[in-house]
Amino acid sequence: MNMRTGEEGYHYGVMRRAIELIDQGEGNLSLEQLAGQMNMSPAHFQRLFSRWVGVSPKKYQQYLTLGHAKALLQEHFTTLEAAHSVGLSGTGRLHDLFVRWEAMSPGDYARHGQGLVIYWGWFESPFGPALVMGTDKGICGVGFAAETTAEATMEDLLSRWPKAEFIEDPMRLRPWVLNMFNAASDRLEPTPLYLIGAPLQIKVWEALLRIPSGQVTTYSEIAEAIGNPRAVRAVGTAVGRNPISWIIPCHRALRKSGGLGGYHWGLPVKRAMLAYEAARAEA
């Protein structure tokens, strides 16, 4: 299996270790204490963090604390109605990433991928090794292996479209992947997504695409937005089954209490994603 771990994978490993130490210190570690426990100077930790997110943020270790999600909910909660109107008025970007998408028809979805050719490849990402899959129409799957294993991540995505033909071809996917992990706004071509799911899942995933980067929402807010306020549990399940992690930002969905909820690829990845976006938004 062709999976490389380079500088980006190293950066995620450092942040993963920092999250563990912050939790053990119950969120009270100063930057100096945290860096000391990681056997590096505070300046070196700050440099690594800045390289990881691509900017020099105002805060460092605070983004990684367990209480950060609750703070996001208090300070950066967005209703999807507001997100939609901001996007329509053109005064803000709906997403750091420039995307367009189409959904597979319910009839085709019922065939479990029969007749579909899906290309796949492993790539480095800010959140560890990423498995990316796509058809000729766009990216249809993104999974992360840092908290699971490469084998488990591959098996998970393969099982979603059991009758498809899978071909390893990272070079075909590479231009889309470069867009995925690069929030530069000067690209002319949006990254295409191909949503393969049941009708309710598609509705939920489209609602997730309306949450701006650096903002969060709740499962109940998503249920309201899709016109089914009592379907919070079903919404939670659909969020958890999102096959295109990171681009469809299911990591921005939290519990009303400020709890993280779950994350299919491991909660440390979700925390790292929220920290990464908050640091970029506030820099």
Side-chain angles (χ1 to χ4, degrees):
M1 191 172 290
N2 179 22
M3 185 179 72
R4 293 171 21 251
T5 301
E7 187 180 19
E8 287 184 317
Y10 167 71
H11 287 155
Y12 174 74
V14 170
M15 298 311 145
R16 174 73 172 85
R17 177 76 181 125
I19 285 170
E20 275 180 8
L21 290 170
I22 288 165
D23 285 357
Q24 288 166 18
E26 298 183 348
N28 297 319
L29 287 185
S30 67
L31 180 62
E32 289 72 21
Q33 289 169 323
L34 175 63
Q37 288 193 31
M38 297 182 74
N39 297 316
M40 56 180 75
S41 69
H44 185 55
F45 178 78
Q46 287 177 310
R47 275 197 302 275
L48 285 176
F49 194 106
S50 297
R51 254 191 253 143
W52 177 54
V53 296
V55 294
S56 296
K58 299 188 181 95
K59 301 177 288 188
Y60 290 88
Q61 81 280 16
Q62 296 100 312
Y63 293 116
L64 300 168
T65 63
L66 194 52
H68 179 59
K70 193 170 278 191
L72 277 175
L73 205 56
Q74 289 166 352
E75 298 163 22
H76 298 287
F77 170 75
T78 186
T79 67
L80 293 175
E81 193 177 346
H84 189 55
S85 62
V86 166
L88 289 178
S89 69
T91 55
R93 283 187 300 167
L94 285 184
H95 201 292
D96 247 7
L97 302 162
F98 186 29
V99 298
R100 62 177 167 81
W101 65 89
E102 68 172 281
M104 177 181 270
S105 72
D108 285 343
Y109 171 67
R111 287 197 280 274
H112 305 292
Q114 189 170 6
L116 198 61
V117 176
I118 296 179
Y119 305 97
W120 64 271
W122 284 99
F123 299 87
E124 289 183 43
S125 86
F127 315 108
L131 174 61
V132 181
M133 296 190 173
T135 72
D136 287 332
K137 294 191 175 183
I139 292 172
C140 65
V142 179
F144 294 93
E147 303 298 322
T148 56
T149 63
E151 290 73 21
T153 303
M154 175 64 85
E155 195 177 312
D156 186 305
L157 288 184
L158 291 176
S159 70
R160 296 174 187 239
W161 312 290
K163 295 183 179 176
E165 178 187 356
F166 292 89
I167 298 172
E168 184 176 10
D169 192 350
M171 292 312 291
R172 180 186 283 262
L173 300 169
R174 190 170 178 272
W176 295 343
V177 174
L178 288 175
N179 279 359
M180 257 173 60
F181 296 119
N182 171 22
S185 58
D186 56 356
R187 293 188 306 274
L188 298 175
E189 286 298 314
T191 302
L193 308 181
Y194 192 41
L195 310 190
I196 304 175
L200 176 72
Q201 291 175 327
I202 300 287
K203 270 188 176 179
V204 169
W205 301 340
E206 288 180 335
L208 288 168
L209 280 163
R210 284 159 44 194
I211 308 168
S213 182
Q215 304 276 311
V216 292
T217 196
T218 61
Y219 298 103
S220 50
E221 173 64 27
I222 295 167
E224 286 275 356
I226 66 169
N228 205 340
R230 293 186 180 178
V232 178
R233 189 180 291 263
V235 162
T237 302
V239 169
R241 290 296 292 166
N242 166 31
I244 312 178
S245 305
W246 177 243
I247 315 182
I248 297 179
C250 53
H251 57 280
R252 296 179 194 156
L254 304 174
R255 289 188 178 140
K256 251 185 178 170
S257 63
L260 282 165
Y263 192 65
H264 193 74
W265 307 111
L267 279 178
V269 175
K270 181 172 187 171
R271 284 173 66 177
M273 288 177 172
L274 291 171
Y276 182 94
E277 292 185 322
R280 292 183 69 93
E282 293 179 16

